[in-house]
Amino acid sequence: MKIEPIIRKHLHSFIQSLKTEYQGNKSAAKVIEKYLKGEKITPQDDMLLRRQIFDYFKFIGIVVPFIIIPGSMIILPILVREAKKRNIDLLPSSFSDKKEEEKKEEK
């Protein structure tokens, strides 16, 4: 098994997830701007904003332990894996969606 192609594949997936998250942030900002201007928010806009806010909370839940808890870099991947086994998604949606797509491609 060659390690370099695997690393390249995961790095590419990570960068794509970051781009997706960035686009989601831009879209959420546009919805907030619409709301502040007094324009009507569609149900789709509302769902997009709710999903982004929920992703922010997930992100905060992952980042804060890295800052506060010593050794969390080792514990966090294990925690994410164990949560996934129990159908609990700790990763922001843009990262989770990519992981699911990769699993389907591998099968």
Side-chain angles (χ1 to χ4, degrees):
M1 177 190 295
K2 292 188 177 185
I3 293 178
E4 186 177 318
I6 293 171
I7 292 172
R8 187 173 291 148
K9 177 183 171 187
H10 288 291
L11 182 62
H12 177 72
S13 175
F14 179 74
I15 290 171
Q16 290 302 319
S17 296
L18 285 177
K19 287 180 182 178
T20 302
E21 193 64 30
Y22 174 73
Q23 290 300 327
N25 290 341
K26 279 179 53 176
S27 299
K30 287 179 183 177
V31 172
I32 291 170
E33 184 180 354
K34 251 172 92 170
Y35 176 77
L36 292 174
K37 288 181 178 179
E39 297 175 21
K40 185 175 175 159
I41 305 298
T42 65
Q44 292 84 8
D45 289 342
D46 184 50
M47 284 303 296
L48 179 119
L49 189 57
R50 287 175 189 255
R51 185 175 180 184
Q52 268 322 106
I53 290 171
F54 192 64
D55 280 351
Y56 291 145
F57 286 129
K58 284 183 181 180
F59 185 72
I60 289 168
I62 289 176
V63 171
V64 170
F66 270 113
I67 296 168
I68 297 173
I69 303 170
S72 63
M73 262 198 287
I74 297 167
I75 297 170
L76 192 60
I78 296 168
L79 181 65
V80 169
R81 186 184 67 213
E82 291 301 315
K84 193 70 169 177
K85 286 180 184 177
R86 290 163 178 78
N87 292 326
I88 301 170
D89 194 11
L90 296 177
L91 297 175
S93 59
S94 62
F95 290 89
S96 298
D97 294 343
K98 295 289 180 189
K99 300 272 184 202
E100 293 300 319
E101 289 174 13
E102 286 176 7
K103 285 182 183 178
K104 288 177 185 175
E105 288 175 3
E106 289 176 0
K107 291 181 180 179

